[in-house]
Amino acid sequence: MSSLDIARSIAFSGLSATQVQISVASANISNADTKGYTEKTANQSSSVTSGVGTGVTITGISSAVDKLLLKSLVGADSDLGAADTTNSFLTELQQLYGSTSSSDSSTTGTSLANTIAAFESALSSLASTPSSASLQSNAVSVLAAVATQLQQTSSGIQTLRSNADQDIASSVTDINSDLQQISDLNKQIKQQAAAGQSTADLEDQRNSALQDLASMMNVRYFTTSSGDLQIYTGSGQALVDSTAHPLSYTALPSVTASTTYSAGSSSGFSGITVNGVDITSQISSGKVSALIALRDQTLPAAQSQLDELARQLTASVNAVSNQGTSVPPPSSLTGTGTVSSTTPFSATGTVRIAVTDKSGNLVAYKDLNLSSDTTIGDLVNDINTISGVTASIDANGHLTIAASGSGNGVAINEMTSSVGSSGEGFSEYFGFNDLITGTSASDIAVRSDILNGTAALPTATLDASSTLTAGNSVLSPGSATVVNALSSALTGATNFGMAGGLGATTGSFTDYAAAIVANVAGKATQASATYTAKQTAQSTYANSLSSQSGVNIDQESANLSALQNKYAAASQIITAINAMFSALMTAMSAS
C-alpha cells in the first residue's frame, strides 16, 4: 500500500470517527431534558499496524455515572417517597377535624372543640328555661351535631385507611412493573454488550427504573461482573436476580376501625409477599412504607383519640341524663344491656320507681332495697310489686319497666343506689334514660326517640322527699338541676385515658377535643417540614448527579462546533490526497 493510500485511509477513519462523535453530541443536545438521560461520550483510540499509525477508531459509546452519587440519590428517593405520602395523607386528616375559631368566640370555628363549645352554650341557654321546648330542641340538635361530627371524622379516618390500602395495591403493581423492566433491561444489556454495541442508553433506562422503584420501597442493589443489576429487600429477599420476583398484595374491599394487619394472620389486611414470604416488615422507607405506617399506626391512633372522646362523652352525659326524667314521662323504659333472669345482680342502696300521669302527678311509687336482689330475676319480681308497674325481659334480653294505665309513665330517682363494680346509679347501670347511644366515635348518636321528638330531654327530676303523696306533682320540669349537671359534666374535670399518643389527662371536653385537633395539626406540620427537608436533600443529590453526568448544552454546543471544524479538516485532507492521486495519475500517463 502506498503512502497516499495510507494517508487517505487515516483521513477516512478520522472522518468516520468524527461523524460518530457529531451524532453522539447531537443526541446529547436533543436529550438534554429527557429524564434519566446522561451525557454520552464516543470513546476514540488510535489504530496501529506494525508499529505505524493507521488512523483512529471509535471503541464504544459510554456514560460516566458516579455510583456513590447514584446510591445516595436512590436512598433520597426512598425518603422523599415516604415523606411525600405522609405529608399528603396528614394534610387530608387535618382537614377532617375542621377549622379552629379565629375570633374571641369559641363557637365560630368548625373543629370538634368548637362544636362541643356550642353544645355547652346551648345548655347554658336551656338552664334559664329548662321547660322550653324550643331550647330543648336546640340543645338536642347541637348535641346531635357533635355526634355527627364524631361519626363523620371517624368515617373519614377509615376512608383514609382504605385509600392507603388501595394505594399499597396500586404501588405493588408499579413495583412489579419496575422489577420486570429492570430484569428485561438486564437481558438486553448483556445481549448488546456481547455484540459489541453500546449499552449506555439501556443503563440510563435501568437507573431510572431503579430510582422509581426506590421511591416506592427501600432496596439494596449491586451490579454483577456480567452487567446484571440485582435487587434485594432490606433483609436480603431477592427481587431481581436471574429473573424478576413480583410482589403480591390484595387490598380489602372495605375497612373499619377493627381492621388490622397481623403477620401470618388470615384475617384483616394481608401481608405484602414475594415468593410466598411476607416482606411487609422489611419495607422501611418509600411510599409503601409510609402507607403501611399510616394505615396501621398513624390513622388508628387518630381513631383511638376520637373513640376516647366519644366514650367519655357518652359516659358523662348518660350518667347525668339518667338522674332525670322527661315530662311527660315515657310509658316504658328499656335498658341497653343484654341480661337474663339468671344474670347475677350486685347492688346496694335504694332506688325510687314511680308511676305518674302525663302532667307529672304521682300515681304510685316504691323505694326498692337493691341489696336483697341477687339476680335480675329477683329484681324483676321486686319491681313487679309496685302498683301500676310491670317489669320484664324482652325478646332482645333487655330489662323493660312499663307503666300500666292509659297516659301514665315511669320515672326513676337513683337515690342511693350503687350497682356493679363501678358503683353506677340504678338507671345509669341499665341505661334507662341514656341520652347518647353507641360505644365509639363510629356509632355515637343521640337517642333516636329524643332526636326525632317523640320523647323529651330527661331534664326533670323525680321528687326525692322521704314520702310522696298520690296526686301530688312529683316531677319538676322547671328545675335546672339536670341541665346544670350536664353543663358541669362538660366543663368540669374529666379523666381521659392514654389514647393514640396522647397521654392520660384531666380536663374539660373542649380542652380534650382541642388537644386532639392540636395533635393532628402538629403531626401535619411536622410531616410538611419533613417533606420539605427530604425534597431538598433529594434535589441536591439529583442536581449533583446531573452536574456530574448530565448534559451541559453549552459544552456540547462548543464540542459540536469543534467537531464540525475537525470534520471539515478531514474532508480537506481527503480532497488534497485525491488531488495528489490525480496529479500522480496524470504524470504517469504523460510518461
Side-chain angles (χ1 to χ4, degrees), residues 322-341:
N322 276 285
Q323 296 172 15
T325 186
S326 58
V327 180
S331 59
S332 66
L333 297 171
T334 301
T336 56
T338 302
V339 296
S340 70
S341 60

Side-chain angles (χ1 to χ4, degrees), residues 186-206:
N186 279 342
K187 295 181 177 66
Q188 294 177 44
I189 288 170
K190 286 194 293 185
Q191 290 171 356
Q192 292 208 186
Q197 298 176 349
S198 171
T199 62
D201 285 334
L202 294 177
E203 289 175 18
D204 282 350
Q205 295 176 35
R206 191 171 66 179

Side-chain angles (χ1 to χ4, degrees), residues 416-433:
T416 62
S417 59
S418 176
V419 186
S421 58
S422 58
E424 295 173 307
F426 179 83
S427 184
E428 180 188 0
Y429 179 82
F430 287 102
F432 286 127
N433 274 305

Side-chain angles (χ1 to χ4, degrees), residues 124-133 135-136 477-478 480:
S124 179
S125 298
L126 179 60
S128 61
T129 316
S131 60
S132 169
L135 292 178
Q136 286 191 20

Side-chain angles (χ1 to χ4, degrees), residues 271-578:
I272 300 172
T273 62
V274 56
N275 294 332
V277 177
D278 190 336
I279 63 167
T280 305
S281 62
Q282 299 181 34
I283 303 175
S284 58
S285 189
K287 179 180 180 179
V288 172
S289 172
L291 290 169
I292 293 170
L294 286 161
R295 185 197 67 184
D296 298 343
Q297 299 171 28
T298 308
L299 295 173
Q303 180 68 52
S304 67
Q305 292 171 5
L306 284 183
D307 288 342
E308 177 65 11
L309 175 60
R311 281 192 296 268
Q312 295 296 344
L313 181 64
T314 299
S316 296
V317 169
N318 286 346
V320 175
S321 66
N322 276 285
Q323 296 172 15
T325 186
S326 58
V327 180
S331 59
S332 66
L333 297 171
T334 301
T336 56
T338 302
V339 296
S340 70
S341 60
T342 59
T343 300
F345 181 69
S346 176
T348 60
T350 61
V351 62
R352 176 169 292 177
I353 300 177
V355 180
T356 76
D357 61 22
K358 60 184 178 181
S359 298
N361 298 318
L362 183 65
V363 174
Y365 83 100
K366 185 176 182 179
D367 293 340
L368 301 181
N369 179 8
L370 298 178
S371 61
S372 61
D373 299 324
T374 58
T375 66
I376 296 297
D378 294 337
L379 177 64
V380 169
N381 294 333
D382 208 358
I383 296 173
N384 280 328
T385 64
I386 304 173
S387 176
V389 172
T390 301
S392 61
I393 299 173
D394 66 18
N396 296 317
H398 299 151
L399 177 60
T400 297
I401 303 175
S404 57
S406 177
N408 290 341
V410 181
I412 296 176
N413 188 313
E414 295 185 310
M415 304 291 277
T416 62
S417 59
S418 176
V419 186
S421 58
S422 58
E424 295 173 307
F426 179 83
S427 184
E428 180 188 0
Y429 179 82
F430 287 102
F432 286 127
N433 274 305
D434 283 351
L435 181 53
I436 299 177
T437 62
T439 59
S440 65
S442 64
D443 60 359
I444 186 174
V446 176
R447 205 174 81 202
S448 59
D449 58 342
I450 294 178
L451 187 60
N452 63 31
T454 57
L457 274 174
T459 57
T461 55
L462 175 61
D463 195 329
S465 300
S466 58
T467 58
L468 302 179
T469 303
N472 288 350
S473 176
V474 292
L475 299 179
S476 49
S479 172
T481 301
V482 174
V483 177
N484 286 333
L486 276 174
S487 182
S488 295
L490 291 173
T491 59
T494 298
N495 295 322
F496 296 93
M498 293 179 61
L502 284 179
T505 186
T506 300
S508 70
F509 282 93
T510 52
D511 289 341
Y512 189 72
I516 290 176
V517 175
N519 180 260
V520 171
K523 289 179 179 178
T525 299
Q526 180 60 47
S528 178
T530 300
Y531 169 68
T532 300
K534 296 302 182 183
Q535 187 179 44
T536 300
Q538 193 272 350
S539 295
T540 299
Y541 285 120
N543 291 336
S544 296
L545 188 63
S546 177
S547 297
Q548 183 268 327
S549 59
V551 176
N552 184 317
I553 293 181
D554 291 338
Q555 182 179 329
E556 289 297 323
S557 297
N559 289 341
L560 189 59
S561 178
L563 289 170
Q564 288 173 335
N565 292 333
K566 184 178 177 181
Y567 187 89
S571 298
Q572 290 176 358
I573 292 174
I574 293 173
T575 300
I577 292 174
N578 286 338

Side-chain angles (χ1 to χ4, degrees), residues 75-88:
D77 285 331
S78 289
D79 291 341
L80 179 58
D84 186 16
T85 301
T86 301
N87 180 51
S88 176

